[in-house]
Amino acid sequence: MKIGFIGTGKITSSIIYGIFKSKLKNSKIYISPRNRTVATKLSKKFRSVKIAKDNQEVIDCSNLIFLAVTPNVGLKILNKLKFKSSKKIVSFISTINLANLKKLTKNKNISRAIPLPPIEIKKGPIVVCPPNKIAKNFFSHLGIVIEVRSEKICSKFWSTSSLMAPFYELLKVSTDWLIRKGVEKTKATSYITELFLGLSQDAVDKKSSGLKKLVGESQTPKGLNEQALKELQKVKFYSKLNVALNNIHTRLSKAK
């Protein structure tokens, strides 16, 4: 299969790195030239990655096309490109819905997907909406595929994908605290990243039991975890998290 990426940013780079760590077989990968630094790096590292002269060449040379541009860029360029009806399209654009994607591309073979940077190491969920056999087969090599039929449900998953930066900030704040308390930087970073990796894997392994049970089991009466949880609840840390998610969901719900 020949695949193409319109947009050459972080997520495109992560997917391409993931492809070459997987068993996916692609004769060619065509990428747009807009981000010359990222495009050049990818083409130098992987022999089968080719920088197209423009976005139209990406489309013309590919069977499966990924839209990996920002919403503003998508609205500016998509209606100027020509997509044959035989082309399969998967959009990563958060705030352009399927109806408008079909109008802009004049193509009905479109699905939306939510890949995240850990796809580079073949980890994490990839939401696909609506279910699409080609997209599912592709992404199943790169992570856990979750198919949904409703764009309303899809927007809820997209809302929680925004927790990536807050999660990394939590790691950074915890690491910086250790460093300020005199812990060597490399040891502080190693401890915090491995701590959250272990907690995440434990949650994955025990997800069938429910996350509420994990919250309870991680505390002992008058223990450190109980104190930390209560102090964060007292300052409405988790309530504010819900507010942020609601605000992001509202923004996504207004997608056109």
Side-chain angles (χ1 to χ4, degrees):
M1 179 182 288
K2 296 178 180 179
I3 64 175
F5 291 87
I6 295 178
T8 316
K10 173 62 178 174
I11 197 60
T12 292
S13 179
S14 295
I15 292 172
I16 290 175
Y17 272 88
I19 288 171
F20 287 99
K21 292 174 184 175
S22 74
K23 295 181 180 180
L24 275 168
K25 293 181 180 180
N26 297 281
S27 57
K28 281 287 184 183
I29 298 175
Y30 295 89
I31 57 178
S32 56
R34 184 179 176 92
N35 191 327
R36 181 60 64 173
T37 301
V38 174
T40 300
K41 182 179 179 181
L42 290 168
S43 65
K44 285 183 176 180
K45 185 169 182 62
F46 304 112
R47 188 176 299 176
S48 60
V49 174
K50 179 182 177 181
I51 303 174
K53 66 179 180 181
D54 54 31
N55 288 325
Q56 191 60 55
E57 185 180 31
V58 172
I59 296 167
D60 295 341
C61 294
S62 308
N63 309 115
L64 176 61
I65 302 148
F66 296 106
L67 307 181
V69 293
T70 65
N72 287 340
V73 172
L75 290 171
K76 288 179 181 178
I77 69 170
L78 291 179
N79 63 351
K80 298 175 184 177
L81 298 170
K82 296 179 180 179
F83 296 84
K84 290 183 179 179
S85 59
S86 60
K87 303 292 182 179
K88 305 297 187 294
I89 305 170
V90 178
S91 173
F92 305 152
I93 305 173
S94 62
T95 56
I96 302 181
N97 62 29
L98 280 171
N100 277 311
L101 285 168
K102 290 175 182 178
K103 288 180 183 178
L104 289 166
T105 61
K106 297 180 176 64
N107 187 304
K108 295 182 179 180
N109 294 317
I110 299 181
S111 282
R112 301 176 72 192
I114 314 173
L116 300 171
I119 201 169
E120 181 175 329
I121 55 172
K122 301 190 296 176
K123 293 288 185 180
I126 305 105
V127 174
V128 175
C129 176
N132 179 291
K133 186 176 180 180
I134 292 175
K136 182 180 181 180
N137 289 343
F138 177 85
F139 286 120
S140 64
H141 292 272
L142 303 174
I144 303 299
V145 177
I146 299 173
E147 292 185 304
V148 297
R149 296 188 180 279
S150 165
E151 279 195 278
K152 288 184 178 180
I153 297 297
C154 185
S155 71
K156 292 174 173 60
F157 281 111
W158 229 307
S159 300
T160 52
S161 75
S162 69
L163 295 177
M164 184 169 56
F167 171 76
Y168 288 133
E169 180 68 10
L170 180 59
L171 270 61
K172 179 182 175 297
V173 168
S174 302
T175 301
D176 289 346
W177 184 88
L178 283 176
I179 294 169
R180 289 198 305 273
K181 295 299 181 182
V183 178
E184 184 184 332
K185 183 178 179 179
T186 55
K187 292 181 179 179
T189 303
S190 179
Y191 179 81
I192 294 299
T193 53
E194 291 292 336
L195 169 64
F196 281 88
L197 174 63
L199 292 173
S200 295
Q201 186 60 60
D202 190 45
V204 169
D205 293 344
K206 298 175 181 176
K207 61 187 175 184
S208 61
S209 299
L211 298 178
K212 183 177 180 179
K213 185 177 180 181
L214 282 177
V215 175
E217 289 180 344
S218 64
Q219 303 172 70
T220 54
K222 297 183 179 180
L224 304 180
N225 278 276
E226 183 186 70
Q227 179 182 343
L229 179 61
K230 285 184 176 180
E231 291 199 16
L232 289 173
Q233 289 173 332
K234 187 176 181 180
V235 297
K236 301 186 183 301
F237 178 88
Y238 301 103
S239 296
K240 291 176 181 177
L241 175 62
N242 269 296
V243 170
L245 287 172
N246 284 332
N247 290 340
I248 290 165
H249 183 247
T250 299
R251 175 184 172 186
L252 288 166
S253 298
K254 295 178 181 178
K256 297 180 179 180

